[in-house]
């Protein structure tokens, strides 16, 4: 990507093909195993870029308070998205239906999450509509449920939620209760064959400044570039963790949790989610085995002596030879992997935030412990 150009309000991204590949890699890292395969999003974004145009990326601080922005993306089980490409026309229709419903044009597009395919769909919509894209999201990663966003935690409504499916059929859900919107929306997703496009959380510019996790789209791009540079190293995971701590995400904490081989995967799609676990036989017997539990995204890494990392901190599985993130749908027996963690910003660790997307929000019997505390003094083994 060229250095962003300042043209009055906002910056313009001029994405090259290499930038698109880097962004998709970074989005896969931020997806924590879920969020839908960003490789599909990369193909869609490359196709849209070939038609011309640039993406206007606006820093949160530059957003006028009276702007109206809305989140957009795909909803459903990642396993379904593997079999059926997202319908970008339906995503754009959802945005236009929201404008009609609210009686006002949108000023910008938001990313609900910065991980997985839903990190790329807002870029595509920004290209198609000419609307600016705000450099932020509501999750700082990917999460499986609609209320698991900082917009909800800081008091903003997801309503109206508008879903549009591949046939142009649409459903509007309105409620003052964001958890109820998730419950109702999940039934709609199932009725739309497990996957659909939607828009939600219409927010003013002032609300975005108050509640968004800032800078996450540029973070995804920088993480992707870091992975590209590390893939030819002797130990890509070690290089990636070092780069995160010293450069790309130096205000956070990154750690390698374990390295070894996947010896078991249990995965099923139920209730609109992909759920299950993977077992990693670590390179050193004293390190393993490690169980990784997921609901679309990785939620908990549990070693013999207790947790190694837990939500909302990012848990990411990397291919041991290339450093490329592995999604929960593509984990399989025999893969050699490295498991790494990355802490989230302080605004995602408050009691209010942990009540929405901390371990107990997923039914896990663990109180939240920060990654930096769990990984203190650890010295993960080298990949065998």
């Amino acid at each position: 990507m060229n250095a962003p150009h300042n043209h009055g309000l906002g910056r313009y991204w001029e994405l090259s093909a290499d930038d698109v590949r880097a962004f998709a890699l970074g989005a896969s890292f931020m997806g924590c195993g879920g969020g839908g395969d960003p490789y599909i999003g990369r193909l869609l974004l490359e196709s849209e870029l070939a038609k011309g145009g640039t993406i206007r990326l606006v820093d949160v601080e530059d957003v006028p308070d009276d702007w109206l922005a809305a989140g957009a993306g795909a909803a459903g089980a990642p396993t379904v998205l593997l079999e059926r490409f997202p319908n970008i026309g339906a995503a754009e229709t959802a945005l236009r239906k929201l404008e009609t419903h609210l009686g006002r044009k949108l000023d910008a597009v938001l990313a609900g999450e910065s991980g997985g395919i839903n990190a790329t769909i807002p870029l595509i919509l920004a290209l198609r509509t000419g609307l600016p894209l705000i450099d932020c999201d509501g999750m700082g990663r990917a999460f499986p449920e609609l209320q698991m966003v900082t917009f909800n935690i800081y008091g903003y409504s997801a309503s109206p939620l508008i879903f549009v499916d591949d046939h142009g059929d649409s459903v509007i859900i309105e409620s003052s209760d964001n958890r109820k919107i998730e419950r109702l929306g999940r039934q709609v997703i199932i009725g739309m064959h497990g996957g659909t496009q939607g828009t939600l959380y219409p927010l003013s510019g002032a609300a975005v400044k108050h509640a968004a996790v800032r800078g996450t789209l540029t973070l995804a791009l920088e993480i992707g570039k870091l992975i590209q540079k590390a893939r030819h190293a002797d130990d890509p995971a070690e290089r990636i963790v070092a780069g995160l701590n010293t450069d790309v995400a130096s205000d956070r904490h990154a750690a390698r949790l374990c390295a070894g081989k996947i010896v078991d995967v249990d995965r099923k799609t139920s209730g609109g989610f992909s759920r299950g676990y993977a077992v990693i036989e670590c390179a050193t017997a004293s390190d393993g085995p490690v169980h990784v539990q997921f609901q679309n995204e990785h939620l908990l890494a549990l070693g013999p002596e207790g947790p190694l990392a837990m939500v909302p901190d990012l848990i990411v599985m990397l291919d041991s030879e290339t450093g490329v993130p592995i999604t929960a749908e593509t984990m399989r027996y025999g893969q050699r992997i490295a498991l790494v963690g990355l802490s989230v910003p302080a605004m995602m660790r408050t009691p209010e935030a942990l009540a929405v997307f901390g371990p107990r929000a997923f039914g896990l019997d663990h109180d939240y412990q920060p990654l930096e505390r769990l990984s203190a003094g650890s010295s993960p083994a080298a990949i065998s």
Side-chain angles (χ1 to χ4, degrees), residues 285-310:
S286 60
D287 289 339
V290 171
H291 288 70
V292 179
Q293 189 167 342
F294 61 87
Q295 178 184 327
N296 290 4
E297 289 78 32
H298 302 315
L299 305 177
L300 175 69
L302 186 63
E305 298 179 0
L308 303 175
M310 59 181 68

Side-chain angles (χ1 to χ4, degrees), residues 67-72 92 94-100 102-110 129 131-132 199-203:
W67 265 19
L68 178 65
E92 185 174 353
L95 279 183
R96 297 312 184 196
K97 283 183 175 289
L98 178 67
E99 291 179 331
T100 301
L102 297 176
R104 178 181 167 178
K105 292 289 186 182
L106 292 170
D107 299 296
V109 179
L110 277 175
T129 64
L131 291 170
T199 184
L200 71 173
Y201 287 103
L203 300 176

Side-chain angles (χ1 to χ4, degrees), residues 13-260:
W13 273 5
E14 294 181 1
L15 291 170
S16 67
D18 286 342
D19 294 329
V20 171
R21 284 190 284 272
F23 184 81
L25 276 174
S28 184
F29 186 99
M30 302 281 280
C32 307
D37 189 348
Y39 172 70
I40 299 171
R42 173 190 135 191
L43 296 179
L44 294 169
L45 182 55
E46 286 176 336
S47 173
E48 203 64 36
L49 275 173
K51 300 174 186 175
T54 56
I55 298 170
R56 286 192 297 163
L57 182 73
V58 181
D59 187 90
V60 171
E61 277 303 313
D62 294 334
V63 174
D65 287 350
D66 61 352
W67 265 19
L68 178 65
T79 43
V80 174
L81 294 175
L82 273 180
E83 299 177 359
R84 201 172 74 223
F85 270 32
N87 186 325
I88 299 301
E92 185 174 353
T93 299
L95 279 183
R96 297 312 184 196
K97 283 183 175 289
L98 178 67
E99 291 179 331
T100 301
H101 191 77
L102 297 176
R104 178 181 167 178
K105 292 289 186 182
L106 292 170
D107 299 296
V109 179
L110 277 175
E113 55 188 333
S114 55
I117 194 169
N118 274 341
T120 56
I121 288 178
L123 272 69
I124 299 167
L125 288 172
L127 277 168
R128 289 175 69 109
T129 64
L131 291 170
L133 175 68
I134 304 176
D135 186 10
C136 66
D137 76 318
M139 297 184 179
R141 45 166 293 164
F143 279 124
E145 299 183 17
L146 301 175
Q147 83 283 3
M148 293 178 170
V149 296
T150 51
F151 308 143
N152 169 48
I153 292 163
Y154 286 88
Y156 298 100
S157 175
S159 181
L161 163 63
I162 299 179
F163 281 139
V164 178
D165 71 9
D166 293 347
H167 306 286
D169 297 324
S170 61
V171 173
I172 299 176
I173 300 174
E174 293 181 289
S175 172
S176 59
D177 183 339
N178 288 339
R179 287 184 181 274
K180 190 170 185 178
I181 288 178
E182 161 62 27
R183 288 197 300 273
L184 295 171
R186 197 57 51 181
Q187 295 307 309
V188 173
I189 292 168
I190 294 170
M192 290 179 164
H193 306 291
T196 185
Q197 300 296 315
T199 184
L200 71 173
Y201 287 103
L203 300 176
S204 68
V208 172
K209 290 175 180 174
H210 178 224
V213 186
R214 303 183 179 203
T216 46
L217 300 184
T218 49
L219 176 61
L221 178 61
E222 293 306 314
I223 289 176
K225 291 179 177 178
L226 177 61
I227 294 171
Q228 288 179 326
K229 292 176 182 175
R231 62 174 45 173
H232 300 299
D234 291 338
D235 188 341
E238 182 178 271
R239 181 72 62 86
I240 290 167
V241 169
L244 289 169
N245 281 325
T246 60
D247 185 18
V248 172
S250 57
D251 57 339
R252 303 191 186 191
H253 176 79
R256 189 162 71 169
L257 308 175
C258 76

